[in-house]
Amino acid sequence: MDLADLQTTLRDTYLSRDAERGRDATFRWLTEEVGELAKALRTGDRANLEHEFGDVLAWLLSLANIEGVDLETAIARYADGCPRCGSKPCGCAFP
Ligand SMILES: [Zn+2]
């Protein structure tokens, strides 16, 4: 499964409901899922951690669908390494 296919699947599955809910409410769901991911990172429950990573990605894809953003295009600048220094691994000074 690649990212573009996944975004299409989520669009086909949820876009009408996502659009009805709207951008701001969908963004709030995404941030709630990020909070659940934070909790999963703390507890160390591997199955739950995987579940929450999936939820965060799904809500991010839903939000991108509402906004008409193609995430594969959006992430493309990272495809060949660090977009700032161009290296793999990144050679940038620690922020
Ligand atoms: Zn870098």
Side-chain angles (χ1 to χ4, degrees):
M1 175 180 1
D2 72 13
L3 189 57
D5 290 343
L6 182 59
Q7 186 165 3
T8 298
T9 297
L10 286 184
R11 181 182 302 120
D12 294 344
T13 307
Y14 295 119
L15 182 60
S16 63
R17 196 162 58 186
D18 289 340
E20 195 173 313
R21 181 187 319 101
R23 178 189 60 191
D24 292 349
T26 300
F27 181 76
R28 286 194 299 275
W29 272 105
L30 170 62
T31 61
E32 189 171 314
E33 291 298 340
V34 169
E36 290 178 12
L37 176 58
K39 192 187 285 184
L41 285 165
R42 243 186 335 178
T43 63
D45 175 343
R46 196 77 195 164
N48 189 44
L49 184 63
E50 197 169 287
H51 178 95
E52 297 303 341
F53 267 109
D55 284 350
V56 167
L57 182 57
W59 282 102
L60 183 64
L61 287 162
S62 278
L63 187 60
N65 282 333
I66 289 173
E67 289 298 297
V69 170
D70 179 335
L71 277 185
E72 193 167 86
T73 300
I75 199 70
R77 63 194 179 103
Y78 289 92
D80 297 318
C82 175
R84 206 159 94 191
C85 70
S87 296
K88 276 188 291 191
C90 169
C92 296
F94 229 82

